[in-house]
């Protein structure tokens, strides 16, 4: 029995050594691929996404450090750090209007507008990766799933699940009312009012107290007509 146990240990060690060797070979090929296609990776969002997926399969994060092979050869670290700065600039410029919430689509449009027509293209995936890096700084940046898209939060406001659900409810029309929250979510009136009052306090919602039936709470980040005016 001891011999079988010893043989099994040796076999497991051999398998682990083979896997490590294969992983190192794959990593070497990935580096060669990255060097060869450096310009395509930097220029094309689609190619960049495919490369990121390839890295993920072997646990490599090209953005984990500003030093080393990935940053020096590809410059991908600089690309995302620069993109992060541009995201911050856009969010700060629009914060007075949207209270620190912006759709990923509008953020992409504003970032592209600021980069100019001769700059590298930027995809939604690029923005999400850059925002995740900003979250590490503890600067209030976060991502909220809403419908088929995302809202980017750029202020350190405390938003719990109740706030997120109300944002999702307001996604289609751009506004929501207390009765809509009560009917759709089966909440007590006080619970709905507390959530809406918090969004008002943080500047993320605007109140239309003269609406025909009852007050409407508009989310400027979701109000497409308001975006068009800019």
């Amino acid at each position: 029995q001891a011999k079988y146990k010893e043989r099994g240990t040796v076999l497991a060690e051999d398998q682990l050594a083979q896997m490590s060797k294969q992983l190192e070979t794959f990593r070497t090929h990935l580096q060669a691929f990255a060097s060869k296609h450096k310009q395509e990776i930097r220029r094309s969002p689609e190619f960049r996404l495919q490369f990121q997926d390839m890295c993920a399969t072997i646990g490599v994060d090209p953005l984990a450090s500003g030093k080393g092979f990935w940053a020096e050869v590809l410059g991908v670290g600089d690309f995302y750090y620069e993109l992060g700065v541009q995201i911050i600039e856009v969010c700060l410029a629009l914060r007075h209007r949207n209270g620190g919430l912006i759709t990923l689509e509008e953020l992409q449009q504003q970032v592209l507008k600021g980069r100019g027509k001769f700059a590298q293209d930027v995809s939604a995936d690029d923005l999400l990766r850059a925002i995740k890096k900003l979250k590490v700084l503890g600067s209030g940046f976060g991502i909220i799933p809403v419908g088929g898209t995302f809202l980017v939060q750029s202020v350190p406001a405390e938003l719990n699940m109740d706030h997120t659900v109300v944002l999702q409810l307001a996604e289609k029309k751009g506004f929501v009312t207390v009765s809509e929250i009560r009917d759709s979510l089966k909440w007590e009136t006080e619970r709905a009012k507390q959530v809406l009052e918090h969004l008002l306090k943080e500047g993320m919602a605007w109140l239309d107290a003269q609406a025909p039936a009852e007050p409407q709470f508009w989310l400027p980040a979701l109000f497409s007509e308001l975006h068009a005016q800019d």
Side-chain angles (χ1 to χ4, degrees), residues 1-15:
Q1 191 174 14
K3 289 183 179 180
Y4 283 122
K5 186 176 181 180
E6 183 179 352
R7 186 179 302 171
T9 301
V10 173
L11 181 61
E13 290 176 350
D14 288 343
Q15 290 176 338

Side-chain angles (χ1 to χ4, degrees), residues 101 166-167 170 174-176 199 204-206 217-223:
L101 285 179
V166 169
L167 290 173
F175 72 90
V176 70
L199 293 176
M204 297 178 179
W206 292 357
F217 294 80
W218 287 85
L219 281 300
L222 301 171
F223 188 17

Side-chain angles (χ1 to χ4, degrees), residues 47-150:
F47 207 94
R48 194 157 51 245
L49 176 58
Q50 293 176 4
F51 174 70
Q52 296 277 8
D53 290 340
M54 289 171 61
C55 290
T57 60
I58 59 170
V60 173
D61 183 2
L63 307 183
S65 172
K67 301 178 181 179
F69 171 83
W70 303 107
E72 293 174 3
V73 174
L74 299 180
V76 289
D78 291 340
F79 171 82
Y80 283 103
Y81 299 144
E82 291 169 5
L83 183 56
V85 172
Q86 292 170 334
I87 289 172
I88 292 174
E89 290 175 346
V90 168
C91 289
L92 285 176
L94 300 180
R95 188 176 292 178
H96 71 284
R97 188 195 75 189
N98 57 33
L101 285 179
I102 185 172
T103 61
L104 189 63
E105 288 80 5
E106 187 188 6
L107 178 60
Q108 183 179 19
Q109 292 173 5
Q110 295 292 339
V111 167
L112 288 174
K113 185 187 300 184
R115 290 173 69 85
K117 62 181 180 179
F118 297 110
Q120 294 164 267
D121 198 5
V122 172
S123 69
D125 179 77
D126 289 328
L127 290 172
L128 291 173
R129 291 181 188 276
I131 292 167
K132 288 177 181 177
K133 292 301 172 185
L134 292 174
K135 288 174 63 177
V136 177
L137 302 176
S139 53
F141 275 83
I143 301 169
I144 305 172
V146 175
T149 183
F150 296 94

Side-chain angles (χ1 to χ4, degrees), residues 125-184:
D125 179 77
D126 289 328
L127 290 172
L128 291 173
R129 291 181 188 276
I131 292 167
K132 288 177 181 177
K133 292 301 172 185
L134 292 174
K135 288 174 63 177
V136 177
L137 302 176
S139 53
F141 275 83
I143 301 169
I144 305 172
V146 175
T149 183
F150 296 94
L151 281 177
V152 177
Q153 179 184 346
S154 61
V155 291
E158 290 292 334
L159 296 183
N160 58 30
M161 187 57 68
D162 279 4
H163 303 115
T164 301
V165 171
V166 169
L167 290 173
Q168 292 172 342
L169 185 63
E171 187 258 340
K172 291 184 179 180
K173 297 189 299 182
F175 72 90
V176 70
T177 65
V178 171
S179 62
E180 286 175 342
I181 295 175
R182 190 175 58 234
D183 296 341
S184 299

